[in-house]
Amino acid sequence: MVIVDQIKQALYLDGDEDDSLIKNYITVAEQFVKNAVGGSDKFFEDKTVQPLYDMAVQSLAATYYQYRLALTDTQLFTNNATVNSIIGQLRGVYETYEGDSANENIDTSIKPSD
């Protein structure tokens, strides 16, 4: 679970003026990553998945904070390589996770023929 203090530390922010804004960015980043990968909350709480998920959320929330203005004098092309690479990894892990879950429900025992 990503907390406001982690984002503030990553952005070198002091004070608490923007805490509610950062909290909202964390919520939006969590939903973005979950929607991009798919899966249930159980998947994202898995001990092997959670560090990747948290880092993607932290990186994306920090990006939202840094680029929060919609109007600029110059054209920006934001490409969050960290988030993109972690989402790719999470998609691969999710495919394996789903495959393993499906295989648990398959009866592989040998049954005598009639």
Side-chain angles (χ1 to χ4, degrees):
M1 176 183 204
V2 177
I3 56 174
V4 172
D5 287 338
Q6 289 173 309
I7 305 301
K8 288 168 55 174
Q9 184 179 12
L11 295 169
Y12 302 105
L13 295 176
D14 293 326
D16 57 1
E17 303 86 33
D18 290 337
D19 284 6
S20 63
L21 179 63
I22 293 170
K23 186 175 180 177
N24 288 335
Y25 288 147
I26 291 170
T27 300
V28 171
E30 289 171 341
Q31 288 305 309
F32 180 91
V33 173
K34 286 180 179 180
N35 290 340
V37 175
S40 65
D41 287 339
K42 182 180 176 186
F43 169 72
F44 293 100
E45 293 166 1
D46 185 278
K47 67 179 181 172
T48 60
V49 172
Q50 193 165 18
L52 286 171
Y53 170 70
D54 287 348
M55 182 53 66
V57 169
Q58 182 177 337
S59 179
L60 188 57
T63 299
Y64 287 156
Y65 181 86
Q66 287 178 313
Y67 299 104
R68 63 185 178 265
L69 298 177
L71 301 175
T72 63
D73 293 336
T74 60
Q75 187 174 6
L76 292 175
F77 296 97
T78 58
N79 181 10
N80 196 326
T82 303
V83 174
N84 290 341
S85 95
I86 294 173
I87 285 175
Q89 289 178 21
L90 286 170
R91 286 177 178 163
V93 171
Y94 180 66
E95 287 295 321
T96 304
Y97 180 86
E98 280 297 296
D100 290 346
S101 296
N103 289 336
E104 288 175 3
N105 297 325
I106 297 174
D107 185 6
T108 56
S109 62
I110 299 174
K111 297 179 183 176
S113 59
D114 291 331

